[in-house]
Amino acid sequence: ETGVTQTPRHLVMGMTNKKSLKCEQHLGHNAMYWYKQSAKKPLELMFVYSLEERVENNSVPSRFSPECPNSSHLFLHLHTLQPEDSALYLCASSQEVESLLASQFFGPGTRLTVL
Amino acid sequence: LAKTTQPISMDSYEGQEVNITCSHNNIATNDYITWYQQFPSQGPRFIIQGYKTKVTNEVASLFIPADRKSSTLSLPRVSLSDTAVYYCLVGGRPQWNFVFGPGTRLSVLP
């Protein structure tokens, strides 16, 4: 238990569906992150939020839309996804965006399958 | 960003010491070396971080030579539950601007 929870843990959706992934951290951190991990590919950073403001968008397609309503919650809204978007989506948090890597705590991830 | 190179996979037996070496020839002066462990369908978990020489915690040791162009993660007396992918990352602040490599898939056999 890392203090970062993600729901749902598994999601199957069609290409025309709209769904959202939720992340919540109970650590009092100010920075939150979304990562994508595809099969047989390295972990990829998608978005970085600091105090509810986005500080990094790592060339992510617009069909992925993040939202950070407060420092404890992070959402990833999904629409018109492609099968190649099937992956494990991981959320992480850290005290500050300037923190050393050691202080990043990852959630368990959401396994997304796009049909 | 410093690029890292690790073996793709390693096999070991229970009770043995495992050493995984990572090469990072273009490491910068302000870069730290960090190792993460990841089990299937879980998020990465921090193992250890260091800058130079040797760092030890309750889980592992990290050896860094003087030129810092490589590092070795040492896992003492591994068990079956240590079967996982181990990632070596190199970077300075802000460390979210880093690149995960493919990691080393460690298989511990009985």
Side-chain angles (χ1 to χ4, degrees):
Chain A
E1 185 63 43
T2 62
V4 180
T5 59
Q6 290 187 243
T7 54
R9 294 295 310 276
H10 300 271
L11 177 63
V12 179
M13 59 186 289
M15 290 190 287
T16 58
N17 292 157
K18 289 184 180 181
K19 297 287 184 183
S20 295
L21 309 184
K22 178 183 176 181
C23 175
E24 183 174 1
Q25 56 97 359
H26 312 273
L27 302 167
H29 288 168
N30 293 320
M32 297 187 76
Y33 313 77
W34 278 117
Y35 292 86
K36 174 185 178 183
Q37 188 170 37
S38 306
K40 300 181 181 180
K41 286 183 69 175
L43 206 65
E44 303 170 66
L45 179 67
M46 299 175 73
F47 301 104
V48 180
Y49 274 83
S50 173
L51 294 171
E52 302 110 61
E53 287 193 21
R54 192 187 313 176
V55 297
E56 176 74 6
N57 177 344
N58 207 19
S59 302
V60 179
S62 60
R63 57 185 184 270
F64 295 92
S65 176
E67 178 190 1
C68 188
N70 55 64
S71 59
S72 298
H73 294 86
L74 185 65
F75 295 89
L76 188 61
H77 303 300
L78 316 170
H79 64 97
T80 59
L81 293 193
Q82 305 298 312
E84 59 264 29
D85 296 322
S86 298
L88 180 68
Y89 288 85
L90 291 158
C91 173
S93 72
S94 67
Q95 185 62 48
E96 308 288 348
V97 290
E98 296 294 322
S99 299
L100 286 175
L101 190 61
S103 59
Q104 260 193 350
F105 292 82
F106 284 82
T110 294
R111 173 68 62 187
L112 174 67
T113 302
V114 182
L115 302 177
Chain B
L1 296 174
K3 177 178 167 59
T4 61
T5 304
Q6 310 172 226
I8 293 298
S9 64
M10 293 181 68
D11 291 337
S12 181
Y13 291 94
E14 278 192 293
Q16 288 188 331
E17 177 184 76
V18 171
N19 295 309
I20 306 174
T21 297
C22 178
S23 297
H24 28 81
N25 291 319
N26 60 338
I27 188 169
T29 302
N30 63 341
D31 285 347
Y32 282 73
I33 300 156
T34 310
W35 286 80
Y36 266 78
Q37 174 193 56
Q38 186 177 25
F39 298 111
S41 295
Q42 292 187 28
R45 184 173 71 102
F46 168 79
I47 300 175
I48 197 165
Q49 184 180 69
Y51 184 81
K52 62 180 179 180
T53 64
K54 176 184 175 182
V55 179
T56 297
N57 61 22
E58 65 277 7
V59 177
S61 294
L62 178 61
F63 299 92
I64 306 168
D67 65 5
R68 304 202 325 125
K69 293 184 183 299
S70 67
S71 58
T72 299
L73 173 72
S74 181
L75 305 172
R77 298 180 298 281
V78 294
S79 64
L80 297 176
S81 62
D82 293 316
T83 294
V85 178
Y86 291 82
Y87 296 98
C88 165
L89 285 86
V90 173
R93 298 171 189 260
Q95 289 206 323
W96 47 263
N97 193 20
F98 55 81
V99 176
F100 270 89
T104 297
R105 186 173 299 277
L106 173 66
S107 298
V108 179
L109 309 172

